[in-house]
Amino acid sequence: MSELNESRFLQILEALIGESQYVQNNPPKFVPEEDKVVDHLLTFLKPYTVENGGVLHVKHLHSQPRRGNLIVQYRPEGATKYVSFVGSHLDVVPADPATWKCDPFKLTVDGDKLYGRGTTDCLGHVALLTDMLCTIGEKKPALKTIVTVCFIASEENSSIPNIGVDFVMKEGHLDEIKSGPVFWVDSSDSHPCIGTAAAASWTLRVDGRLFHSGLPHKGINPIELGSDVLSQIQKRFYQDFPPHPSEKIYNFASPSTMKPTQIRCAEGGLNQIPPWCEIRGDIRLTPFYNIEKCIEKVTSYATELQASVTSLANPELRGPCSKYEVVDTEGKTITGGIKLTFEDDPYKGIACKLDSKGYEALCTATKNVLGEVKPYSICGSLPLVGEMQEAGYDLQVCGYGKSAVYHGDNEFCLLSDMKNAAKILFGAVDLLQ
């Protein structure tokens, strides 16, 4: 049962990519309707469901209309153990057709390359697992394990909570699979991903004093102040969260980082020192540190810097007129202000258990198919994987798209990789018998 049904897989993928325009996830502009994808899955799975004399048990779960999750389960007679596949999601990041060389919302086949938004992340995996379920429904293998697949909504954006895997977990629909290996199928490059980072988004608000740029000694430049504050925060971050020895064991591509990614300020003329600016960015923390304690620590840096903000002025670097405290015409002292806040609940990282049966099966199956196995870790982040591991799940992470095109223009996956993926995942199930 280890082969991908190539023609059926391409039919499924074509149907899903055809809906990708309607499952773009970036509220408020794009609010996905994941049931547009689920409807196709139900059509392909229908002949194999118990309602139609088949063997697949299907649960379609919602917390909001048309924003569904789908759990499909194969329960062979006498099976008491579990092997499960979770994490393949039904939404995608937005795509701009003007910047693609082909229509992002239509499957384009160019030899081995399969182009379209979601082919790598993550509709390609949804199609892969759906084809595998169809094969199980056809062959009804005499397994010793119950096979569970959970397709999830709302993975790409968490601004609307309690929609996807968080809702499914909260309602207890995945409690039973805790007793066996769980493969989170939403990474890339065909080898086991054994570590991901925690992620926390932050905003540094900096208040200065609006003034004519020809009289800079009477203003407080929030862009300069923000830059100086951030450099001090980053310096202390890297002192407190240096590269961890375990990062080498897990082959992390980078250590923990804190950096800005966006900046904006009050609108005005180029001859004005703006009254405020906001610098935004993120922390990516390897799973050997605690993200909540990290947030607490970094917040304390900003609090301490606010108490000594005037000491940050550096006339040698920024000139004699750059000051962070001035006196106005009424004799009132004005001091630059800073406030660091963190947005949303942070994602927790994961260091997969390297002594588990799930990891052993995934590595062995990968080597059997590819001839080698090269586990790796990245500072990308996945929702709820850390919480699932803390709750006792044996979670392993894998994926078969291409990291080089993640969230980018002209996204594609390789048909050959998906054919190998079916062999690897079916092989892992066989090994776990």
Side-chain angles (χ1 to χ4, degrees):
M1 109 179 149
S2 64
E3 296 291 332
L4 184 76
N5 184 320
E6 182 177 327
S7 62
R8 183 173 60 205
F9 167 77
L10 289 173
Q11 289 177 16
I12 299 170
L13 186 59
E14 182 177 29
L16 304 192
I17 300 303
E19 301 290 0
S20 58
Q21 180 177 358
Y22 308 105
V23 293
Q24 297 176 95
N25 195 350
N26 188 26
K29 184 176 182 180
F30 295 111
V31 178
E33 190 178 338
E34 287 91 346
D35 274 2
K36 284 185 173 292
V37 171
V38 172
D39 290 343
H40 289 290
L41 304 188
L42 293 174
T43 297
F44 283 102
L45 294 172
K46 184 176 179 179
Y48 313 109
T49 62
V50 292
E51 291 80 5
N52 291 284
V55 293
L56 300 181
H57 299 260
V58 177
K59 289 194 292 186
H60 192 185
L61 307 169
H62 299 80
S63 66
Q64 290 188 14
R66 300 296 294 169
R67 300 212 60 190
N69 304 268
L70 192 69
I71 297 179
V72 186
Q73 199 167 66
Y74 174 56
R75 292 178 167 271
E77 186 176 354
T80 56
K81 299 179 180 180
Y82 286 84
V83 58
S84 305
F85 301 91
V86 182
S88 293
H89 53 91
L90 308 165
D91 60 328
V92 301
V93 295
D96 180 2
T99 60
W100 280 56
K101 67 180 184 181
C102 57
D103 186 346
F105 307 125
K106 179 181 178 181
L107 180 66
T108 300
V109 180
D110 182 10
D112 195 32
K113 289 185 176 180
L114 308 176
Y115 287 94
R117 175 57 89 218
T119 47
T120 271
D121 184 24
C122 185
L123 297 178
H125 293 129
V126 174
L128 166 70
L129 291 171
T130 301
D131 180 72
M132 290 174 63
L133 286 166
C134 290
T135 298
I136 290 174
E138 290 171 343
K139 299 193 174 183
K140 306 178 183 66
L143 301 177
K144 299 177 182 178
T145 52
I146 297 167
V147 179
T148 304
V149 176
C150 178
F151 301 108
I152 62 174
S154 197
E155 191 272 348
E156 293 291 5
N157 189 293
S158 61
S159 60
I160 304 176
N162 200 40
I163 297 289
V165 69
D166 51 348
F167 159 71
V168 176
M169 286 278 292
K170 181 180 176 182
E171 296 297 316
H173 295 292
L174 297 180
D175 288 353
E176 63 180 328
I177 70 173
K178 189 182 294 187
S179 61
V182 178
F183 298 102
W184 186 280
V185 188
D186 182 30
S187 62
S188 59
D189 297 334
S190 299
H191 291 271
C193 177
I194 55 176
T196 66
S201 300
W202 52 264
T203 299
L204 180 64
R205 166 77 182 208
V206 185
D207 290 303
R209 189 189 186 207
L210 174 69
F211 222 86
H212 194 294
S213 66
L215 301 168
H217 59 291
K218 295 187 177 184
I220 297 175
N221 191 322
I223 299 175
E224 293 183 347
L225 175 56
S227 178
D228 288 340
V229 167
L230 185 57
S231 66
Q232 291 297 315
I233 290 175
Q234 287 180 290
K235 179 180 179 181
R236 294 182 62 177
F237 173 86
Y238 289 110
Q239 290 172 345
D240 290 337
F241 303 97
H244 194 282
S246 294
E247 291 165 11
K248 289 185 177 180
I249 299 172
Y250 275 77
N251 196 25
F252 265 89
S254 61
S256 301
T257 58
M258 178 182 181
K259 67 280 184 189
T261 57
Q262 295 179 351
I263 186 169
R264 71 186 185 103
C265 65
E267 294 185 6
L270 289 176
N271 62 350
Q272 288 179 300
I273 294 172
W276 59 266
C277 81
E278 281 187 353
I279 305 172
R280 302 181 68 194
D282 68 7
I283 289 173
R284 298 284 175 158
L285 196 71
T286 58
F288 316 108
Y289 294 108
N290 181 283
I291 186 62
E292 286 87 1
K293 292 181 179 178
C294 175
I295 290 173
E296 182 180 348
K297 192 81 171 176
V298 173
T299 301
S300 74
Y301 306 158
T303 301
E304 293 169 13
L305 287 167
Q306 175 62 75
S308 58
V309 70
T310 57
S311 67
L312 296 176
N314 188 345
E316 292 184 1
L317 177 66
R318 302 198 180 279
C321 296
S322 182
K323 302 174 182 179
Y324 301 142
E325 186 173 87
V326 296
V327 178
D328 66 12
T329 55
E330 298 177 354
K332 180 182 177 182
T333 299
I334 301 172
T335 305
I338 60 174
K339 183 177 182 181
L340 181 69
T341 56
F342 284 85
E343 303 162 18
D344 303 322
D345 294 327
Y347 281 176
K348 292 185 177 181
I350 185 174
C352 296
K353 296 178 181 177
L354 305 185
D355 58 353
S356 78
K357 291 181 179 180
Y359 179 67
E360 180 183 358
L362 182 60
C363 285
T364 301
T366 301
K367 188 173 183 179
N368 289 343
V369 174
L370 302 182
E372 61 179 353
V373 57
K374 298 186 291 185
Y376 70 96
S377 298
I378 58 173
C379 280
S381 302
L382 295 168
L384 218 69
V385 292
E387 289 86 346
M388 290 181 71
Q389 187 184 61
E390 289 177 357
Y393 292 84
D394 172 17
L395 205 68
Q396 303 295 326
V397 181
C398 57
Y400 303 93
K402 293 296 183 186
S403 63
V405 293
Y406 244 78
H407 293 191
D409 292 342
N410 304 312
E411 178 184 349
F412 69 90
C413 68
L414 298 183
L415 178 59
S416 56
D417 284 346
M418 291 299 174
K419 292 167 73 172
N420 284 335
K423 294 177 182 178
I424 291 169
L425 297 183
F426 275 135
V429 173
D430 288 340
L431 289 165
L432 288 165
Q433 301 309 302

